């Protein structure tokens, strides 16, 4: 049997047609017309006023943190269970990341722990929706309002997902997305910052483009980055966005098929199908090994790989990152849920090109490994 990779994207819509259009018109840089179109159409889909396309989802977070003016002396609360990009953006800006543990069932930020982390220096909460279910936004927004905190919403894994019917990515003062190859819609590499605030959007545009000034182009009042997205990538984005509803339906079908095939397997915690605020979109199909299982995620992934199934480990908690420990951050902190799922959790092939036959083969293989 052929190896089943952890992710393979689906590129069967207008991708080829729009890419050819770029080549035939000569528009390949960020000046091309697909960039504006992708920004406008994606922002509209998420219900936001402004979209600013950037090079990737990590860059989107850097731009968001900088645009809000967060820096030395400021604290930003975020979940410890997330990708490095989130904490890195805060640390690079000179601000201090303050992490909270996650819920053992949804794997999302434990909103109940938020308020205890707030100090007079707290300026913002970085919300990160994890793996397929959104963060419980209602209580979080109430806390943010009570303490006058800005919200950065990292919706990199949530294109097309909703929280109580409202699009993920529509909650932050600034929201960010990634279009990496394993996201619901992809441009290969790419990202976007979304906001309803025209001034913030303008700051993001400037930060993305080296803070060139309209009057005196090569005179700089501030340091930005070259985080521009090219027209070729935006062309892919426009084509992918046309297919988003179908992609989301397929993701849910993949998740449901996995659950039907794996329910009842001893020693496995499966993803939650739904909460009262959202239906799981299964960006990735995660598994957590029960404590009674005599091997950890690394061993499980090795056994699956030997049998032709690609996997990825869960995120490693921010408070356990050597790079941050060396900076003196998170000293002595313990967040037991994140520590446990980092060691016991991994995810199965979850890409949009996955066939039902492949899913069934993965199920059979997982059952063999767990037996
Ligand atoms: C993928 C991802 C990112 C980073 O996006 P890149 O485009 O890979 O830089 C940021 N946050 C979350 C939650 C992600 O899943």
């Amino acid at each position: 049997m052929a190896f089943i990779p952890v992710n393979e994207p689906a590129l069967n819509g207008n991708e080829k047609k729009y890419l050819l259009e770029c080549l035939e018109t000569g528009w390949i840089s960020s000046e091309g017309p697909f960039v504006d179109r992708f920004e406008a159409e994606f922002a509209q889909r998420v219900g936001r006023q402004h979209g600013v396309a950037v090079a990737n989802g990590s860059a989107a977070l850097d731009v968001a943190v900088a645009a809000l003016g967060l820096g030395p002396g400021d604290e930003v609360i975020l979940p410890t269970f997330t990708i490095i990009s989130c904490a890195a953006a805060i640390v690079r800006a000179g601000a201090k990341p303050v992490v909270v543990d996650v819920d053992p069932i949804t794997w999302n930020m434990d909103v109940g722990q938020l308020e205890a982390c707030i100090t007079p220096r707290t300026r913002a909460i970085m919300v990160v929706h994890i793996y397929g279910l959104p963060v419980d936004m209602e209580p979080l927004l109430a806390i943010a309002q009570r303490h006058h905190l800005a919200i950065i919403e990292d919706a990199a894994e949530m294109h097309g997902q909703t929280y109580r019917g409202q699009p993920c990515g529509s909650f932050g003062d600034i929201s960010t997305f990634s279009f990496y190859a394993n996201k619901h819609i992809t441009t290969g590499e790419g990202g976007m910052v979304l906001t309803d605030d025209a001034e913030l959007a303008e700051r993001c545009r400037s930060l993305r483009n080296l803070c060139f000034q309209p009057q005196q182009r090569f005179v700089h009042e501030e340091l930005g980055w070259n985080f521009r997205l090219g027209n070729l990538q935006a062309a892919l984005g426009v084509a992918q966005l046309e297919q988003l509803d179908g992609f989301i339906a397929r993701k849910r079908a993949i998740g449901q098929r996995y659950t039907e095939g794996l329910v009842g397997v001893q020693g496995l915690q499966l993803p939650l199908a739904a909460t009262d605020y959202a239906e799981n979109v299964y960006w990735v199909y995660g598994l957590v090994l029960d404590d009674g299982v005599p091997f950890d995620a690394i061993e499980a992934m090795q056994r699956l790989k030997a049998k032709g199934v690609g996997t990825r480990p869960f995120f490693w908690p921010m408070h356990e990152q050597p790079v941050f420990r060396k900076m003196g951050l998170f000293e002595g902190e313990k967040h037991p849920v994140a520590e446990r799922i980092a060691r016991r959790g991994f995810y199965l092939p979850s890409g949009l090109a996955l066939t039902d036959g492949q899913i069934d083969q993965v199920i059979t293989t997982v059952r063999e490994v767990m037996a």
Side-chain angles (χ1 to χ4, degrees):
M1 289 269 206
F3 190 82
I4 303 174
V6 72
N7 179 66
E8 218 181 312
L11 303 164
N12 309 312
N14 283 322
E15 287 85 349
K16 206 177 198 171
K17 179 176 165 217
Y18 295 162
L19 281 174
L20 277 175
E21 209 173 302
C22 298
L23 296 178
E24 282 159 5
T25 58
W27 283 113
I28 56 173
S29 79
S30 63
E31 297 285 313
F34 277 112
V35 179
D36 286 347
R37 186 169 157 195
F38 185 39
E39 288 178 339
E41 289 179 4
F42 192 76
Q44 187 187 16
R45 171 69 202 232
V46 184
R48 305 308 304 253
Q49 293 294 313
H50 310 279
V52 181
V54 292
N56 54 67
S58 305
L61 287 163
D62 280 310
V63 166
V65 167
L68 286 173
L70 299 169
D74 299 331
E75 294 178 3
V76 181
I77 302 173
L78 76 163
T80 193
F81 188 71
T82 184
I83 190 167
I84 193 78
S85 316
C86 300
I90 297 165
V91 170
R92 286 205 187 98
K96 182 180 167 194
V98 174
V99 295
V100 296
D101 207 350
V102 292
D103 181 275
I105 307 299
T106 66
W107 306 325
N108 266 299
M109 183 180 233
D110 182 351
V111 176
Q113 295 187 22
L114 262 183
E115 215 149 16
C117 299
I118 295 173
T119 76
R121 290 174 177 271
T122 309
R123 291 271 318 275
I125 303 172
M126 186 180 279
V127 174
V128 191
H129 308 297
I130 299 286
Y131 291 172
L133 284 170
V135 172
D136 192 2
M137 291 305 295
E138 236 164 49
L140 185 144
L141 291 171
I143 293 167
Q145 205 163 31
R146 202 153 56 238
H147 297 272
H148 308 288
L149 305 177
I151 304 272
I152 301 167
E153 182 188 9
D154 180 353
E157 305 175 359
M158 294 292 132
H159 325 56
Q161 176 61 298
T162 57
Y163 173 86
R164 297 196 190 280
Q166 262 181 275
C168 289
S170 69
F171 293 94
D173 294 280
I174 292 196
S175 303
T176 64
F177 283 87
S178 163
F179 306 115
Y180 182 59
N182 66 357
K183 311 296 182 180
H184 295 152
I185 70 174
T186 182
T187 61
E189 303 285 352
M192 204 178 293
V193 181
L194 297 175
T195 179
D196 288 333
D197 181 325
E199 213 171 298
L200 265 182
E202 213 32 62
R203 275 186 63 70
C204 292
R205 281 182 205 287
S206 177
L207 286 162
R208 149 184 91 172
N209 194 26
L210 294 169
C211 296
F212 285 132
Q213 301 200 96
Q215 282 79 23
Q216 277 192 295
R217 184 174 173 86
F218 293 111
V219 179
H220 299 263
E221 295 286 345
E222 265 187 282
L223 287 181
W225 296 273
N226 176 356
F227 282 163
R228 301 183 299 259
L229 187 79
N231 202 49
L232 293 164
Q233 287 152 323
L236 282 174
V238 170
Q240 288 265 295
L241 183 56
E242 291 169 351
Q243 305 164 77
L244 180 56
D245 290 335
F247 287 167
I248 293 303
R250 179 60 191 154
K251 280 282 189 181
R252 290 203 163 112
I254 291 171
Q256 276 153 19
R257 196 175 183 96
Y258 270 136
T259 295
E260 279 161 24
L262 292 171
V263 74
V265 174
Q266 281 291 311
L268 282 186
Q269 179 193 337
L270 308 182
L272 192 62
T275 63
D276 64 332
Y277 48 80
E279 218 187 302
N280 204 324
V281 71
Y282 303 102
W283 171 60
V284 294
Y285 194 90
L287 298 173
V288 177
L289 300 168
D290 288 347
D291 290 334
V293 175
F295 48 86
D296 62 7
I298 293 176
E299 172 79 26
M301 290 189 294
Q302 274 165 0
R303 292 184 189 191
L304 286 164
K305 188 177 174 192
K307 291 171 176 285
V309 174
T311 56
R312 280 282 182 284
F314 269 20
F315 293 130
W316 198 254
M318 292 306 104
H319 70 281
E320 292 196 285
Q321 294 291 344
V323 61
F324 293 141
R325 286 298 179 99
K326 279 184 260 180
M327 295 175 180
L329 288 166
F330 311 124
E331 216 167 299
E333 285 190 33
K334 295 247 180 305
H335 300 286
V337 178
E339 289 166 26
R340 178 174 173 277
I341 64 175
R343 287 159 176 82
R344 310 294 290 174
F346 60 96
Y347 62 84
L348 299 175
S350 307
L352 282 159
L354 198 66
T355 65
D356 284 350
Q358 287 177 312
I359 296 170
D360 294 344
Q361 195 189 324
V362 173
I363 291 167
T364 304
T365 313
V366 171
R367 285 180 163 273
E368 282 169 16
V369 164
M370 294 304 295

